[in-house]
């Protein structure tokens, strides 16, 4: 996956809809619909882990746990892949 910082690629419609749902769930602090937007082969890459976490089940567990632990959640940047199918969300939070 190539992420562009030079210009802002446009998200594909399904990716944009998933991102909108994600932001809605985060604002409500309710990730109940998360499984509906995770592919079976979803991957979560953490700067704190040596290797990525793979599978919708694992990613769902990580993100729902993080939702309970992180406070003062704030987004800083949204980076979109060249093909418009992938997004990286840069954020900060307190634990």
């Amino acid at each position: 996956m190539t992420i562009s910082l030079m210009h802002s690629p446009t998200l594909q419609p399904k990716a944009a809809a998933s991102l909108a749902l994600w932001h809605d769930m985060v604002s409500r602090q309710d990730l109940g619909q998360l499984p509906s937007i995770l592919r079976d082969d979803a991957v979560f890459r953490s700067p704190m882990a040596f290797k990525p976490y793979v599978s919708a089940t694992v990613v769902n567990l990580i993100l729902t746990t993080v939702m309970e632990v992180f406070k003062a959640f704030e987004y800083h940047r949204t980076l979109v892949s060249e093909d418009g199918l992938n997004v990286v969300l840069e954020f900060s939070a307190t634990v």
Side-chain angles (χ1 to χ4, degrees), residues 54-69:
V54 180
S55 90
T57 303
V58 171
V59 172
N60 187 57
L61 177 62
I62 291 168
L63 293 176
T64 54
T65 301
V66 163
M67 181 61 66
E68 295 175 17
V69 175

Side-chain angles (χ1 to χ4, degrees), residues 74-92:
E74 182 180 342
Y75 287 107
H76 301 289
R77 291 191 298 173
T78 300
L79 308 174
V80 178
S81 63
E82 290 291 329
D83 63 7
L85 295 173
N86 297 283
V87 178
V88 174
L89 301 172
E90 180 183 297
F91 68 92
S92 63

Side-chain angles (χ1 to χ4, degrees), residues 7 12-14 31 34 38 41 51 78 88 91-93 95:
H7 68 285
Q12 296 293 327
K14 288 183 180 181
L31 299 185
L34 183 58
L38 291 176
D41 60 349
K51 63 183 199 175
T78 300
V88 174
F91 68 92
S92 63
V95 179

